[in-house]
């Protein structure tokens, strides 16, 4: 008999109820059960950062949390960044600065950068590089990602003025 | 890969967790932050029939002063300890080491107790616990006992905890006056496991000599290694670059590093020589400048 548990979560502001097996990873729950396939699963052991989501206000790796552990939690995924079909300034900056190539790492990069810019709205290049050290990108060499985050910081500063 | 099936419990009190563990040990594993255990489960390198999730036990999450020590509940998140004003004031070596412990996203979930109980020989917190002479408090069906950090770590991923015991608290002595500290680490990428890391504390006598030095290294053997001969060579010495360099060379002979994908044992010894010297110099600078 599979070990099943009823859970309730709020994802990007919407409530969900589900019954999940205890071994189901939060990342697989988001993707396969809720259809939120923006969250990417790369390494499945907490190294690549592609599956980063925000759980109760802090980034976590959704491959290192079981769905059952998220019972009662507020979750934000990359699908929650845009508002009213308007890209978040971070998304615009990634697009304009070509902060992505294949796009696989992008959801994790965006969620980590979203959190980081809230803590540090005016970061140096060095601070950005350290902030995203837990997110691997195999295409860009990081330079355009760093520039995109700097650009997003500037856009967000203007927007909040 | 995906995890194998297991039965999941999420007790809300420590008493419940201890009794669940007693009922199901040795086939049960406590789950703390999961930042080391869940990768092993995903790879099916660790398989437990029962997982006892400690994340709903709020009584295990605290940082408080107790009899000259700082008591940290095992389920305190690493980022909470990292940002704690009490910790940075009284045991700043821990604050400094936590910045090397994985990435911020890992520290949001990872716990202080989990990093200690997992006992990865390359991890920072076990070395800090050994360098500072911490005590680890374990609770099992027979009651509570206290284990000195020097006796807690037995080998890679192996501790003095019995299968039915939980680590519930770590007690870390506050740094004494005239003490300086440093944590230095070499890794390929910030936040990765240490190729070698060094935790150092120097306490000066009123005349400026070294009263006591503590040195523990990670990535340097099957468990955190205390460099006792280097410590002994420093005790009573007049601090100087030359003494620190000698201590580095002694420490490099005391460690027992492995060769692996990341570095050879030879390279690790060379790195240890340099990091110990630098850590001692930084600890001494802080001891003389009053932090």
């Amino acid at each position: 008999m599979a070990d099943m548990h009823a859970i309730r979560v709020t994802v990007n502001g919407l409530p969900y109820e589900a019954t999940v097996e205890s071994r189901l990873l939060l990342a697989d729950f988001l993707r396969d059960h809720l259809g939120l396939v923006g969250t990417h699963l790369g390494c499945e052991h907490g190294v690549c950062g592609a599956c980063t989501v925000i759980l109760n206000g802090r980034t976590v790796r959704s491959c290192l949390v079981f769905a059952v552990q998220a019972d009662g939690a507020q979750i934000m995924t990359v699908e929650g960044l845009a508002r009213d079909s308007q890209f978040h300034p971070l998304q615009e900056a990634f697009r304009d600065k070509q902060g992505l190539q294949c796009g696989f790492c992008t959801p994790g990069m965006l969620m980590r950068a979203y959190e980081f810019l809230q803590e540090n709205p005016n970061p140096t290049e060095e601070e950005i590089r350290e902030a995203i050290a837990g997110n691997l990108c195999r295409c860009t060499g990081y330079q355009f990602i760093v520039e995109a985050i700097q650009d997003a910081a500037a856009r967000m500063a203007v927007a909040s003025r | 890969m995906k995890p194998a099936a297991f039965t999941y419990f999420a007790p809300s009190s420590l008493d419940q967790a201890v009794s669940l563990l007693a009922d199901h040990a040795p086939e049960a594993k406590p789950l703390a932050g999961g930042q080391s255990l869940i990768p092993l489960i995903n790879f099916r390198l660790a398989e437990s029939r029962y997982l006892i999730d400690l994340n709903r036990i709020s009584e295990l999450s605290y940082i408080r002063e107790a009899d000259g020590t700082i008591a940290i509940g095992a389920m305190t998140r690493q980022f909470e300890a990292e940002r704690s004003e009490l910790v940075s004031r009284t045991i700043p070596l821990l604050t400094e080491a936590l910045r090397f412990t994985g990435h911020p996203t890992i520290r949001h979930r990872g716990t202080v107790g989990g990093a200690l109980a997992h006992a990865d020989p390359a991890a920072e917190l076990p070395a800090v616990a050994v360098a500072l002479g911490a005590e680890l408090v374990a609770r099992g069906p027979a009651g509570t006992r206290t284990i000195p950090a020097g006796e807690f770590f037995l080998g890679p991923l192996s501790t003095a905890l019995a299968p039915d015991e939980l680590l519930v608290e770590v007690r870390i002595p506050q740094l004494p006056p005239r003490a300086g500290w440093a944590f230095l680490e070499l890794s390929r990428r910030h936040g990765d496991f240490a190729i070698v890391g060094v935790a150092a504390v120097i306490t000066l006598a009123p005349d400026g000599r070294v009263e006591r030095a503590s040195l523990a290294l990670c990535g340097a053997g099957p468990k955190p290694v205390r460099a006792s001969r280097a410590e002994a060579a420093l005790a009573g010495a007049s601090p100087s670059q030359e003494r620190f360099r000698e201590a580095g060379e002694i420490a490099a002979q005391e460690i027992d590093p492995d060769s692996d994908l990341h570095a050879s044992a030879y390279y690790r010894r060379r790195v240890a020589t340099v990091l110990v010297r630098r850590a001692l110099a930084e600890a001494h600078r802080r001891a003389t400048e009053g932090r």
Side-chain angles (χ1 to χ4, degrees), chain B residues 1-289:
Chain B
M1 276 172 59
K2 304 298 180 190
F6 56 83
T7 301
Y8 173 86
F9 298 106
S12 55
S13 76
L14 177 58
D15 286 343
Q16 285 171 15
V18 169
S19 104
L20 279 165
L21 192 56
D23 290 346
H24 298 290
E27 291 181 303
K29 225 14 210 163
L31 174 61
Q35 303 301 286
S36 300
L37 180 56
I38 298 181
L40 294 176
I41 291 173
N42 288 357
F43 276 137
R44 302 197 180 194
L45 292 171
E47 283 192 35
S48 296
R49 283 187 61 185
Y50 305 94
L51 273 191
I52 298 163
D53 186 354
L54 310 179
N55 283 282
R56 309 245 170 213
I57 307 178
S58 51
E59 65 189 288
L60 285 180
S61 181
Y62 55 84
I63 302 173
R64 56 187 174 226
E65 258 175 302
D67 310 325
T69 71
I70 302 301
I72 303 179
M75 285 302 291
T76 304
R77 305 283 173 195
Q78 289 157 3
F79 91 95
E80 286 166 343
E82 180 191 355
R83 293 186 186 190
S84 158
E85 191 274 327
L86 177 59
V87 170
S88 64
R89 185 160 46 81
T90 56
I91 35 173
L93 178 67
L94 178 61
T95 311
E96 192 154 277
L98 279 164
R99 300 201 178 114
F100 290 97
T101 304
H103 308 285
T105 302
I106 297 285
R107 298 197 289 273
H108 289 158
R109 193 91 190 139
T111 64
V112 172
L116 293 167
H118 187 62
D120 191 303
E124 294 80 10
L125 295 196
V128 169
V130 168
L132 293 179
E135 292 186 323
L136 295 104
V137 182
R139 172 120 172 246
T144 300
R145 67 179 177 124
T146 303
I147 308 162
E151 296 164 25
F152 183 79
F153 302 102
L154 302 181
L157 314 190
S158 171
T159 69
L161 289 173
D164 60 359
E165 272 183 323
L166 280 175
L167 177 64
V168 294
E169 183 180 282
V170 56
R171 292 184 191 147
I172 304 179
Q174 303 188 26
L175 280 190
R178 296 191 307 274
W181 77 94
F183 191 93
L184 293 181
E185 174 174 309
L186 181 76
S187 61
R188 287 294 299 272
R189 177 177 63 140
H190 186 91
D192 282 0
F193 274 115
I195 288 175
V196 173
V198 177
V201 181
I202 285 186
T203 309
L204 295 175
D207 67 359
R209 286 173 183 274
V210 177
E211 186 172 283
R212 191 160 171 267
S214 300
L215 277 171
L217 291 89
C218 56
K223 57 183 183 177
V225 183
R226 177 146 218 162
S228 358
R229 281 194 285 132
E231 291 175 357
L234 287 162
S238 293
S240 67
Q241 281 298 319
E242 185 54 23
R243 289 282 96 74
F244 299 152
R245 190 186 60 73
E246 283 169 11
E249 282 170 7
I250 298 170
Q253 294 313 309
E254 292 187 80
I255 62 176
D256 182 21
D258 272 336
S259 293
D260 63 22
L261 187 65
H262 305 290
S264 66
Y266 171 81
Y267 180 70
R268 286 195 158 95
R269 281 189 208 278
R270 296 306 307 156
V271 170
T273 311
V274 174
L275 287 187
V276 166
R277 169 171 57 77
R278 289 183 188 165
L280 289 168
E282 178 63 7
H284 178 252
R285 187 189 67 76
R286 282 168 163 161
T288 49
E289 290 179 5

Side-chain angles (χ1 to χ4, degrees), chain A residues 10 19 23 47 56 83 134 144 158 161:
Chain A
T10 304
T19 302
R23 63 169 158 168
V47 171
N56 294 330
R83 288 284 149 81
F144 291 172
V158 170
R161 219 177 267 159

